[in-house]
Amino acid sequence: LVHAVVTGGACHLDAMQITRSLDAIDLEHIRLLFIENVGNLVCPASWDLGEAEKIVVFSVTEGEDKPLKYPKMFQMARHAILNKIDLLPHLDFDVDQAIANAHRINPDLQFFLTSARTGDTSGSP
């Protein structure tokens, strides 16, 4: 089940938008609910949606400096998903450096390495 929330041009979701959207969903039959915030790695980190935890997704195509460039998102997240690992042979991207940069911001951050294209998770630390 996918339900789109219209933000009216805002760069993030807010708790009231989530509350209104939940009224349209039969939560009785939902075991796990994902809320994908809109925008970039800056704006959504500052907004509490009532979630149990935040997860940051970034890709190897974005560079290993992302955690240092957008520290708030990595600071607020409990987990990080590093995506597109199938592209590593074609990029100048240092996975260990990306994880080290993230751990400078949040030493407790847990990482998962994935490829959305192939489903590969063999690179997970």
Side-chain angles (χ1 to χ4, degrees), residues 27-76:
L27 294 175
E28 190 73 26
H29 297 95
I30 301 293
R31 290 183 50 223
L32 181 62
L33 176 68
F34 286 96
I35 301 170
E36 181 181 4
N37 211 338
V38 297
N40 50 42
L41 290 177
V42 178
C43 188
S46 299
W47 296 90
D48 180 4
L49 302 178
E51 68 272 33
E53 58 187 65
K54 291 186 186 298
I55 300 170
V56 60
V57 179
F58 71 116
S59 301
V60 299
T61 56
E62 297 177 291
E64 59 269 327
D65 65 333
K66 280 300 181 230
L68 303 177
K69 208 170 177 185
Y70 304 107
K72 181 127 187 177
M73 189 67 223
F74 289 85
Q75 179 185 28
M76 301 301 291

